[in-house]
Structure formats: C-alpha cells, structure tokens
Amino acid sequence: MQRVCLALPTMRPCPETIAELAEEAAYAVATFGVEVHLLILDTTGAAAFAQNAAAVAALTPTPGVVVHHLGEARQREFLRRVTERSGAADPALLLDLMLPEAVAYGSCVNRLFLGAAALGCSSTHLRNDDADFQVVDGRKVFPIHHELLSIGRPAGEAVAGVSRSRLDPADADKPVMLVSGSFIGELNVDISEIHELDPAVYRDVVRLWTPPVWPEEDRDAMVDVSFKGSDSGPFSTDDSVLGVPDIWDVYMCNIALDHRSYEALPLPPATETIGSDYALLHALVHSRLPGVVHNRHIVNYYTPERRTGTGFIAYQLRFVKFLLSMLYLYPVYGGMIDIGPELLDEQHELRVDPIIGLARGAVDWDQAGNEHCLDVLDRSYRKLGGKYTELADVVAGQRRQLLDEAQRDAGLWVVLTEAWAALVAAARAEGLHADPAASTAAAGSAAAGGATEVPSR
C-alpha cells in the first residue's frame, strides 16, 4: 500500500487546523486507498502544546490514518539519533541546523522531510497552520485530491488525471515530483499594511527582492504579482494542468513533493528568514521536470501576533532577512536556469553537485547589494512613520549582524546539503518510533513533550 505523509509544522496552538488535516487524511484514504501518516511537528510551549495534543486526542480513529504529534523534545531526540547515525564529522552542528533555537522555516520543513523518510513515505504533502481549505456546497476542497492523482507517476501516465496537458512528449518518462496549488486571501507575506499606508513605498520595498540584473520593466512586473497568490478566484470546478510549472504558480504550503526530490536537496536552514523554503521548488522547475498545477487553492490569513508589538518587529525582521537572502539565492537560481535539464541524472532525479557548486560560489558575493537594500529599507520605514520608525531603528541597530547572518546562512546551506544524503539514509534506517512513555491523554502528552499517535485499525 502506498504510504504518504501529510505534514504540518507549527509553533502556535492550531486545533482547528489539526482537525481539518485529519479530515483531509481520511478523504485521501477513502478516495485513493493510501495509508496517510499525519505528521505534526510542534515547537510550541507547554500550554499551546496541550491544546494541540487535546485536538489530536479528540480525533476519531480512522483506518488507514496514523497521527504523529511530536513535541520539541521528541524531535530533538530523533534528530540526535539521526545526526549521530549519519557518520557526520560534526553531528552537533547538523542537529543545530535541523532544530535551531530561533525560528527557521526551512529547518522545520527539513525535519518533516526526514520524518517522512523515517516513516517510509513516498511523498510529503505540506500544509500550514495559518490557512484554511475552501468550502463549496458544504464540502471542503482538499488539495490532496489532485496530489495523489499524479505525484510520483511518470508524466505520460499522469495525463489521464489532469484537465489539460502541456507535456512535451519527450518528458513522458519523467516522474511528476511536484503537484501544487496556490492560495487566495491575504498576501502570503504580511506587508499589505505598507501598501495601505503608501503604495509608492510598498513598490520600493517589494522591488528590493526582484533580481537586480533584470530589465526595469521586468522588475516592475514582478512587483505587481509578488506575494498575491492566484488570480483565478474562488474554487468552482476542478482544473489542473500538466507540464513544466511556472515558479509563480507553486506555493510551499499547498504542495506535494515526491520523495526523490526532497531526499536529494534540503531547504536552506536560514534562521528568522521567511521565504527560505523555496529553493527546492526552483530546482525542480528550472530542471524542467513536469509537474501539475491545480486550482484547489487554500485560503491564507494572518495570525494576530504579526501585527503588534514584539510580534510585529520579529515578523518584519524575517522579511528583511528574506530580502537580504536573495543576494545569495538568485545566483543559484540563475545558475539552475542556465544548467536546465542537465540538473537531472539518467533516472531524471536531481543532481546535487551542480547545486552545491552554485551555492558555494555565491557565499562570498559582495555585500554592497545588501548594504543598498538596508539603506532603501531605512528610508522607506522612516517615511511610513509610527511603528515603522521603531522597526527602522531596530534594523539600523542590527545592521552588521543582519548582513553577516545572511552570508552565514548561505554557507550553512552548503554544509547541510553536503550532509543531506547521509541524514536521509540515517533517518530511513532509524525509523520514527512511538514514544512508549507518551500518553494518548492530552495532559500526559503535553507533560512528556512527546508523541500522540492515533493508529490505523
């Protein structure tokens, strides 16, 4: 039986999301006859973990669905065993890259990938805790429907499961390693308030993430579509397209990835940096692998802590670091485009060595571009005034640190990528075992910081 991983990273209480994903897992079992492992990696504190554990404990057991709820202690123990088993010269460094003290979007997804490998899953289906499913005629619109129709299949076979095909006949034997929808609702980066305050400042800020080597009109066009998701509107009827996707049509929180993709290349483990989890998607798209893009978009929303006080500063600093990270990522993405299909080996799987070479070559890029970026941000935030003046002061006070951290993060991606194959093999050999001390009772699970499992019957 095909075994798949429906994956949720979270650092906040999200009982409603857990219940919804359990519904999606049950739908997948009933419709496709797969075994679904709902893997929840939870780095909340004790009180929030207890809320999430209670939500897991309240789930109705469903044949074919296995729920794993791992707190930070359980994750750390699993990763400690994996990093040591990998034979790495510095397992402590790898453990820190996989589970740092700071927020790291790429690292949390990398943990999910290793968890999926340990569970023996053929694909991972990524969701987020700040999005809802669309509802039509009282039924939730589950993306896993399109994902399981195509993921992992030779593209020539996947034609039967899509609405339209733009497949090059020469690509018929290549596997579908990516199936994705997009999102509707609020911008997927919480900067819409900047646009409300001053559209010109918004354009100046968003323009900072466009490739500086592009013509001016192309950079302006990129500003117009950035962070906005799908323009197809709410769901009415299914539509899906097979072919080489456009990077703008894929969304990391509404995606299925074949294990042959994420077991080859990890995401950058950059800390306090949004958008650091798209490098793998660039590799798949720029290597010209066929994928499926569908219209079962999720509904994005903002969580309240992003908008006030320390939560506002913390989130906006992650956006600043995202802008700075592009100095080191765009040379890699550009190189991927130049290499194209030669990024794939004879089995149509990613060749990692060229990507490592590109990433290593970008680490020492001149920081002048990022100096300019911070100058523009300083002027822009001060023009907006209010809490953005405070943000400008914080960024100015951390200027050297931010520049150095962006460069350091680029180098650490190289380190992790070089060790990744051994980590995946170690995770597969280690397995993801139930914690015998963990209780299915919410309070017991919270106290143990462990795993709650609802097994298939």
Side-chain angles (χ1 to χ4, degrees):
M1 179 183 291
Q2 182 183 2
R3 179 180 293 186
V4 304
C5 179
L6 182 56
L8 174 68
T10 187
M11 56 182 183
R12 60 176 64 91
C14 57
E16 296 86 1
T17 301
I18 291 170
E20 281 202 325
L21 291 189
E23 290 181 48
E24 186 176 29
Y27 172 87
V29 171
T31 307
F32 296 96
V34 297
E35 180 177 286
V36 180
H37 286 255
L38 174 52
L39 178 58
I40 305 164
L41 297 188
D42 188 338
T43 54
T44 58
F49 186 91
Q51 292 183 54
N52 291 339
V56 170
L59 297 175
T60 302
T62 301
V65 176
V66 185
V67 185
H68 311 263
H69 179 207
L70 278 69
E72 189 167 344
R74 219 11 245 298
Q75 294 176 53
R76 186 171 300 279
E77 178 58 23
F78 166 69
L79 293 167
R80 183 193 62 76
R81 295 196 305 267
V82 168
T83 53
E84 291 178 354
R85 188 169 191 152
S86 72
D90 192 348
L93 173 60
L94 295 181
L95 178 57
D96 187 56
L97 295 181
M98 292 300 302
L99 188 57
E101 292 184 7
V103 173
Y105 295 85
S107 294
C108 72
V109 179
N110 286 336
R111 296 197 297 276
L112 290 167
F113 290 156
L114 289 188
L119 291 166
C121 295
S122 60
S123 57
T124 296
H125 306 252
L126 292 167
R127 305 293 184 257
N128 208 355
D129 61 5
D130 55 3
D132 292 323
F133 296 120
Q134 294 188 68
V135 179
V136 177
D137 296 330
R139 294 185 177 182
K140 292 174 183 174
V141 181
F142 296 126
I144 207 165
H145 177 86
H146 284 295
E147 294 170 347
L148 289 177
L149 282 172
S150 301
I151 194 68
R153 300 180 65 183
E157 296 180 11
V159 170
V162 298
S163 307
R164 292 172 285 142
S165 176
R166 297 172 182 163
L167 181 68
D168 186 328
D171 292 339
D173 292 334
K174 294 179 180 178
V176 175
M177 291 199 193
L178 177 159
V179 180
S180 184
S182 185
F183 68 95
I184 60 175
E186 299 181 275
L187 303 183
N188 68 331
V189 175
D190 193 353
I191 56 172
S192 56
E193 185 182 58
I194 297 177
H195 189 273
E196 295 166 5
L197 292 170
D198 192 325
V201 168
Y202 173 87
R203 178 164 289 273
D204 289 342
V205 168
V206 175
R207 208 168 185 276
L208 291 171
W209 98 281
T210 63
V213 297
W214 278 14
E216 296 301 309
E217 58 271 21
D218 291 343
R219 297 182 71 186
D220 289 339
M222 184 169 166
V223 171
D224 291 336
V225 300
S226 291
F227 316 126
K228 296 180 180 178
S230 173
D231 59 2
S232 63
F235 179 89
S236 56
T237 58
D238 278 303
D239 186 42
S240 56
V241 182
L242 172 67
V244 177
D246 190 308
I247 194 65
W248 291 101
D249 294 331
V250 296
Y251 181 46
M252 198 63 181
C253 299
N254 183 8
I255 198 165
L257 294 164
D258 182 82
H259 74 101
R260 288 166 289 184
S261 64
Y262 57 78
E263 289 181 359
L265 181 67
L267 308 182
T271 56
E272 303 292 354
T273 306
I274 64 172
S276 58
D277 47 0
Y278 277 76
L280 175 58
L281 305 192
H282 279 271
L284 297 175
V285 168
H286 299 328
S287 65
R288 310 295 294 170
L289 273 170
V292 172
V293 173
H294 62 81
N295 68 334
R296 292 193 172 212
H297 309 311
I298 59 176
V299 184
N300 186 61
Y301 63 86
Y302 296 145
T303 50
E305 74 274 4
R306 295 179 178 182
R307 292 284 179 104
T308 59
T310 57
F312 168 78
I313 296 295
Y315 183 87
Q316 295 300 323
L317 282 175
R318 292 168 196 162
F319 176 68
V320 171
K321 287 195 66 178
F322 158 71
L323 297 176
L324 298 178
S325 73
M326 302 318 298
L327 177 72
Y328 306 102
L329 289 175
Y330 274 139
V332 180
Y333 299 162
M336 289 176 178
I337 293 172
D338 293 339
I339 297 171
E342 292 183 12
L343 281 170
L344 305 177
D345 63 17
E346 294 79 4
Q347 287 75 45
H348 311 304
E349 297 178 18
L350 285 175
R351 296 170 55 229
V352 180
D353 286 348
I355 299 173
I356 291 175
L358 292 169
R360 187 182 290 119
V363 170
D364 293 324
W365 272 55
D366 192 326
Q367 291 187 336
N370 277 349
E371 295 272 9
H372 170 72
C373 175
L374 293 179
D375 289 343
V376 174
L377 287 173
D378 188 79
R379 292 195 300 269
S380 298
Y381 291 151
R382 295 187 190 284
K383 185 175 181 180
L384 294 174
K387 62 184 179 180
Y388 289 92
T389 300
E390 179 186 355
L391 174 61
D393 290 340
V394 172
V395 172
Q398 297 183 20
R399 183 182 180 100
R400 186 71 259 162
Q401 177 185 341
L402 292 168
L403 292 168
D404 291 343
E405 285 180 356
Q407 184 176 42
R408 181 206 63 193
D409 289 341
L412 290 175
W413 184 34
V414 174
V415 172
L416 182 61
T417 303
E418 290 174 332
W420 189 244
L423 289 173
V424 170
R428 193 180 295 116
E430 183 67 34
L432 190 62
H433 308 294
D435 181 356
S439 167
T440 55
S445 293
T452 300
E453 301 207 5
V454 180
S456 57
R457 292 179 176 175

